[in-house]
Amino acid sequence: MSATAAPAIAVRGIEKSYKDLHVLRGVDLEVQRGTVFALLGSNGAGKTTLVRILATLLKADAGTASVGGLDVAKQSAQVREAISLTGQFAAVDERLTGRENLVLIARLRHLRSPGAIADELLARFSLTEAGGRKASTYSGGMRRRLDIAMSLIGNPSVIFLDEPTTGLDPEARQEVWETVRQLVGEGTTVLLTTQYLEEAEQLADRIAILHQGRIIVDGTLAELKKLLPAATVEYVEKQPTLEEVFFALTGGGTDDTTDAATAQR
């Protein structure tokens, strides 16, 4: 199978242990190109360990894995050129401005016109007006958007988002969701780990549940729902959710200027 015909991510029988702790016990999964694949699991299920193996940061004890048709163990340098990893905490330098963070990464990747790359990404992520401010003044949502923008420098074909909305408020979480939808709409493949079930429902084309070191189910949301008995239809008065109340009262948007002023207090 050629690299272009291969799945974006293919995992076969991956195992990983830390001394006597067996974290991954034979994981199998495939992620098709241009889709969002959500990996669910409780704390300690092995989600981050699997992502670190796919990102060439850890070596598996057994099994094989490929990203974009490239073997993560044998072709790690090429894999690193084709991917980007965004962890649970935004990896921005708060002493630099938003634009300076982007320029720095572009220079580290030895790309031409780092300033032009930074300006394009600031515009793409609605951060142009904030680009000249230090990242320390950014709200949580703005900081995460900048972090994802930094991960896109070099046009990676696959992005790993490891619990990207941990600790964010509802509005900031919505901002990240819109960013992910935009990326996939442009052809990027996203592997998303999350503990938020609603996040997987909103974003994922396919969902897998990692439990006790193995994938116990893998399918679309509709397929997963069919695993339970059919729902009994009853009349229930629908009450608004707390999230709906929150967005109704706040207008459902963010004001970067207000966020920055709040962050500086």
Side-chain angles (χ1 to χ4, degrees), residues 67-93:
V67 176
L70 301 167
D71 188 290
V72 300
K74 299 176 182 178
Q75 299 169 286
S76 57
Q78 295 97 310
V79 170
R80 286 193 289 271
E81 291 178 358
I83 68 171
S84 186
L85 169 62
T86 297
Q88 298 178 21
F89 305 99
V92 303
D93 189 329

Side-chain angles (χ1 to χ4, degrees), residues 1 5 35 42 65 70 76 127 134-135 140 144-145 159 194 204 217 220 225 257:
M1 181 180 292
T35 64
S42 58
L70 301 167
S76 57
L127 291 170
K134 288 187 176 182
R144 178 54 84 183
R145 275 161 36 214
I159 294 181
T194 182
V217 66
T220 65
K225 287 183 175 180
T257 302

Side-chain angles (χ1 to χ4, degrees), residues 98-125 127-128 146 148-156:
R99 188 177 189 275
E100 287 170 343
N101 270 281
L102 293 166
V103 168
L104 175 63
I105 299 302
R107 286 177 174 167
L108 289 174
R109 285 186 173 266
H110 306 291
L111 300 178
R112 295 180 179 179
S113 305
I117 292 172
D119 291 337
E120 187 276 330
L121 286 168
L122 288 171
R124 180 175 171 183
F125 286 87
L127 291 170
T128 298
L146 176 62
I148 294 176
M150 291 164 61
S151 73
L152 292 182
I153 293 175
N155 298 315

